[in-house]
Amino acid sequence: MAPVLSLLSTLTLLSTVIHSVHGYNINDPKQLLRRDGEVDTSEQLLPFIDYEAISEAADIAVSEELQRRGLLDAEEVNAKRSNSPRCSKINVRKEWRKLSTSEKKSYIKAVKCLTTKSDFGISTYSDKMYDAFTYIHEQNWFLFHGCATFPVWHRWFVWLREVTMREQCGYTGPFPYWNYTMDWKDPFASPIFSSDSETGFGSHGNVAVAEIAGATGFKVDNGAFANFRVNLPEPHFLTRNFTFWKESDPTGQYGKAFGKWFGPEQLQKTLAANTFWDFEKLMDGLEAPQSLGIHNGPHFNQNGDWSGPAWLVNNPTYYPWRSTAPNDPMFFPHHAFSGSGNNAPASNTSTAVAPTSST
């Protein structure tokens, strides 16, 4: 059981560092008041993003929370709301299994397309838009992980990915999410990990690699992302290890591939949370002994790019400052579900409200 405890200790250490970086008290309304409308739009790099509308929407969202806390009056909030930008279209996302074969092909084609598009100067490590998402996530890792803003920041991040695929790569299909609570009894048997060269995300492959010092795993050699190259923190093959959980939990105490951490019982506990912070603690297993939570379960039941900083724990140059998780194309279907706010138990998927995005 030591390996699982080591995983939990690693996450606890990361959480401690994150909180020290944040440097503010999330329960202090005066500090929240000072952050009202603080959206940095000084670097408007992407020509297809309406930065002004994002800033206005953020200001309204914070103002509504301030009103709830009695720090702003309703008249002021209503005035802001009446002038708020309106979405021209609501896009309904689809669970991966519900996509047609042609929709799956189109989505994966658009993901790969990002490796050919300019990032408009976002990253200092690469000029490709695909790598820009890893860079953005990495640069914001300590600000938006292990805190109450984790879910909402990642909802924005997934939305940015969707918009970029549509604007730069002409993608017109539904953005997919992976409801992995349906697969909690055997996560890696999910059809999303199909080895199909056009419609599958692949498994972990057969060739052991260690292109980055201290970061081991298997080169993904099947599925649509076979032999896929990524560039952060340095160029390497997309790497996974779907057998890692066996080393961490040899008795299967936490279910196959840690499936119990995102099974029905853990899901119900998480959805019963009353505040964003309580929700985040349960999502990520913070202050929750012997659990990594619904969000972190799929990150840590394997070992590779998708694991983020944990994959680099044996490399002091990169750990804990570098996060590779968005290198893996599974990151976005994973987060499109975990951050949707509509996570429904696997037994109730037929009546779940589908995650949505706006354009």
Side-chain angles (χ1 to χ4, degrees):
M1 201 50 55
V4 168
L5 292 177
S6 178
L7 265 179
L8 294 168
S9 299
T10 299
L11 189 62
T12 300
L13 172 62
L14 286 172
S15 178
T16 300
V17 174
I18 291 167
H19 289 164
S20 68
V21 171
H22 285 162
Y24 68 92
N25 180 359
I26 62 173
N27 293 314
D28 182 351
K30 293 183 178 179
Q31 295 207 21
L32 178 61
L33 184 61
R34 288 199 299 271
R35 297 171 70 83
D36 181 15
E38 290 182 6
V39 176
D40 184 1
T41 59
S42 58
E43 294 186 279
Q44 299 186 12
L45 298 179
L46 300 180
F48 49 83
I49 296 297
D50 188 341
Y51 289 91
E52 182 179 352
I54 290 176
S55 182
E56 290 176 2
D59 181 36
I60 293 167
V62 173
S63 297
E64 289 174 344
E65 173 62 13
L66 292 173
Q67 180 189 357
R68 188 184 70 82
R69 296 190 182 199
L71 298 172
L72 282 181
D73 58 49
E75 183 177 352
E76 182 176 350
V77 176
N78 289 335
K80 290 184 177 183
R81 191 183 293 119
S82 64
N83 295 317
S84 65
R86 292 289 185 266
C87 300
S88 59
K89 181 181 179 182
I90 302 296
N91 298 313
V92 178
R93 294 174 176 167
K94 293 173 69 173
E95 210 281 329
W96 181 255
R97 277 161 271 235
K98 299 295 185 181
L99 266 65
S100 67
T101 298
S102 62
E103 287 175 332
K104 291 176 181 177
K105 289 181 179 179
S106 295
Y107 174 77
I108 288 176
K109 182 180 178 181
V111 170
K112 291 181 175 180
C113 164
L114 294 176
T115 66
T116 69
K117 300 299 181 180
S118 168
D119 75 343
F120 299 97
I122 291 174
S123 172
T124 59
Y125 295 93
S126 167
D127 62 355
K128 303 305 181 186
M129 183 58 78
Y130 189 94
D131 300 314
F133 283 91
T134 301
Y135 181 79
I136 292 169
H137 186 263
E138 186 175 84
Q139 295 299 303
N140 289 278
W141 204 89
F142 285 100
L143 290 176
F144 298 108
H145 290 75
C147 57
T149 55
F150 168 84
V152 289
W153 187 87
H154 281 79
R155 290 193 76 175
W156 167 82
F157 189 53
V158 173
W159 169 84
L160 182 63
R161 173 74 159 217
E162 178 182 353
V163 170
T164 303
M165 288 173 61
R166 296 189 188 284
E167 294 291 335
Q168 284 202 294
C169 296
Y171 181 63
T172 58
F175 196 88
Y177 62 94
W178 174 38
N179 182 353
Y180 47 90
T181 66
M182 295 174 66
D183 302 306
W184 72 276
K185 291 184 179 180
D186 194 357
F188 297 134
S190 173
I192 200 169
F193 297 115
S194 164
S195 61
D196 187 281
S197 62
E198 293 184 291
T199 62
F201 283 75
S203 61
H204 75 180
N206 300 290
V207 179
V209 291
E211 295 179 274
I212 300 174
T216 61
F218 296 87
K219 177 183 74 172
V220 176
D221 62 6
N222 61 87
F225 296 96
N227 304 311
F228 193 67
R229 298 287 291 182
V230 290
N231 294 304
L232 271 69
E234 57 189 70
H236 64 280
F237 284 110
L238 177 63
T239 304
R240 297 176 183 152
N241 182 354
F242 283 2
T243 63
F244 176 71
W245 69 274
K246 296 179 181 179
E247 303 171 21
S248 303
D249 184 19
T251 65
Q253 179 179 352
Y254 302 105
K256 195 168 187 178
F258 303 157
K260 288 184 179 179
W261 288 342
F262 44 89
E265 183 177 348
Q266 185 67 23
L267 184 61
Q268 292 294 353
K269 289 181 181 178
T270 305
L271 293 176
N274 293 317
T275 68
F276 271 118
W277 178 229
D278 288 338
F279 182 74
E280 162 62 6
K281 287 190 292 185
L282 288 162
M283 279 280 286
D284 278 341
L286 307 175
E287 302 179 19
Q290 302 301 302
S291 172
L292 290 178
I294 289 177
H295 158 247
N296 272 328
H299 276 299
F300 293 117
N301 64 0
Q302 52 84 51
N303 197 33
D305 284 281
W306 196 3
S307 300
W311 183 46
L312 304 172
V313 68
N314 294 316
N315 187 311
T317 300
Y318 296 139
Y319 179 83
W321 313 105
R322 308 300 292 272
S323 176
T324 57
N327 279 343
D328 196 313
M330 278 300 303
F331 178 96
F332 290 94
H334 168 198
H335 276 270
F337 177 71
S338 69
S340 69
N342 295 302
N343 314 51
S347 61
N348 193 34
T349 53
S350 61
T351 59
V353 178
T356 59
S357 63
S358 304
T359 55

